[in-house]
Amino acid sequence: MARRIILDCDPGHDDAFALVLAHGSPEIELAAVTTVAGNQTLAKVTRNARSVATLAGITGVPIAAGCDRPLLREQVVAGQIHGESGLDGAALPEPTVPLDPRHGVDVIIETVLAAEPGEITLVPTGPLTNIAVALRREPRIVPMVREVVLMGGAYTRGNITPAAEFNIGVDPEAAAIVFGAGWPVTMVGLDLTHQALATPDVLERIGAVGTPLALVLRDLLVFFRDTYRNDQGMPAPPVHDPCAVARVIAPEIMAVREAFVAVETQGRWTSGMTVTDFGNAYGQRPNTLVATTLDVPRFWDLVLDAITRISA
């Protein structure tokens, strides 16, 4: 049976690919899409989610806007990577799919509580604000959720600072709540996602599909490649967020290791760091599966299969 997921996202070029991969994969059923301020403002990322859904033919799935700022901090966006709109680089359609009038946090809570225990998997690919607020508002969701597979963090590096990955670094207080909730967590962080590079061969394969969806996705990756090259010095961009979706589709696509993960919220230089203890240095029980190695060819096959299936 298909795994039902709530995709909590902040589109974002890589979030667009996460949406497409989730929708185009028979192993997944999108129960809801919620948006959170992150790569751009809430209004922009919500519009982007609806535009991608319109382009990909995602209908009958609630799309709801969630939190418009971090729990305690000023909002930070990633315009230098994703552009002024959050999805610069391609002509996206005017959204025709409706916006659910409920708050995204309410959609998360109501969807989880209406399901059978273990039926819903949460897949956050942006800052963890919505998930943290849902936890605080309704702790009953913890035993109901099958697992949380999140894109964020890292055990060796950062990207918004030397210590912190963007999704965790912009709202570390929310991340600390999510990692400390006591439910199963898989951290798909930079160490893993930097293996999922959109190389020239990948761009050529996507463009060769030739459909309007495929051509928009290729153009988005061209923009993403250029901003990553200018901002991060990487010749090919890592497509982070669909890696978390791929973990749900095919868990064996990536190797994982158990670890205790704590989120630093106080450090002057290390705020947002996901401190990852693989060796019991702190005497704490593991609370996270940490993704380490990706089957890269299979990952891109999953993405291409989803794009082709939607376009058929």
Side-chain angles (χ1 to χ4, degrees):
M1 292 182 62
R3 290 273 296 276
R4 297 188 72 211
I5 73 168
I6 298 173
L7 184 64
D8 185 64
C9 56
D10 61 336
H13 294 69
D14 46 339
D15 303 81
F17 275 83
L19 268 167
V20 168
L21 179 58
H23 175 57
S25 300
E27 298 87 353
I28 283 182
E29 176 189 338
L30 270 171
V33 175
T34 54
T35 60
V36 64
N39 286 324
Q40 263 296 348
T41 63
L42 181 66
K44 291 178 181 180
V45 301
T46 302
R47 177 185 170 84
N48 291 342
R50 294 174 61 220
S51 290
V52 173
T54 298
L55 182 66
I58 301 173
T59 59
V61 177
I63 300 177
C67 296
D68 64 357
R69 62 178 67 88
L71 293 182
L72 301 177
R73 305 186 183 215
E74 295 295 321
Q75 184 183 10
V76 176
V77 300
Q80 77 281 10
I81 295 293
H82 297 280
E84 182 62 28
S85 72
L87 267 181
D88 282 7
L92 293 170
E94 286 293 318
T96 58
V97 296
L99 181 65
D100 194 292
R102 294 171 292 173
H103 194 282
V105 169
D106 294 325
V107 169
I108 292 168
I109 292 170
E110 292 170 17
T111 303
V112 170
L113 293 184
E116 295 296 321
E119 183 180 342
I120 299 294
T121 294
L122 301 181
V123 184
T125 60
L128 293 169
T129 318
N130 285 342
I131 310 300
V133 173
L135 270 169
R136 286 297 176 88
R137 185 179 298 173
E138 185 47 88
R140 288 186 299 160
I141 69 173
V142 172
M144 294 289 290
V145 166
R146 176 169 178 163
E147 62 177 328
V148 179
V149 181
L150 64 91
M151 189 280 126
Y155 56 89
T156 63
R157 69 187 83 182
N159 59 4
I160 190 172
T161 71
E165 180 275 330
F166 179 85
N167 288 340
I168 309 299
V170 299
D171 197 350
E173 287 78 16
I177 291 170
V178 173
F179 277 93
W183 48 14
V185 174
T186 298
M187 181 176 82
V188 182
L190 298 179
D191 305 285
L192 185 290
T193 65
H194 276 210
Q195 299 167 49
L197 300 177
T199 61
D201 176 66
V202 168
L203 269 67
E204 183 177 346
R205 290 178 65 191
I206 294 172
V209 177
T211 61
L213 172 65
L215 295 176
V216 166
L217 292 174
R218 181 203 59 193
D219 291 347
L220 288 174
L221 282 182
V222 169
F223 179 89
F224 203 43
R225 175 199 64 195
D226 293 344
T227 58
Y228 247 93
R229 182 178 294 160
N230 294 334
D231 189 77
Q232 302 283 329
M234 298 179 68
V239 186
H240 309 281
D241 294 339
C243 294
V245 177
R247 166 70 180 178
V248 179
I249 295 169
E252 69 280 2
I253 203 169
M254 57 187 68
V256 296
R257 292 176 61 189
E258 283 192 335
F260 170 69
V261 176
V263 179
E264 177 59 63
T265 60
Q266 300 298 321
R268 179 182 179 186
W269 305 110
T270 59
S271 177
M273 182 178 184
T274 40
V275 181
T276 305
D277 179 9
F278 290 114
N280 199 33
Y282 296 119
Q284 301 291 320
R285 296 179 64 178
N287 62 349
T288 305
L289 293 176
V290 178
T292 58
T293 306
L294 179 67
D295 183 340
V296 176
R298 188 173 179 200
F299 168 76
W300 284 115
D301 285 346
L302 287 178
V303 174
L304 266 294
D305 286 348
I307 295 170
T308 303
R309 192 174 291 110
I310 292 170
S311 302

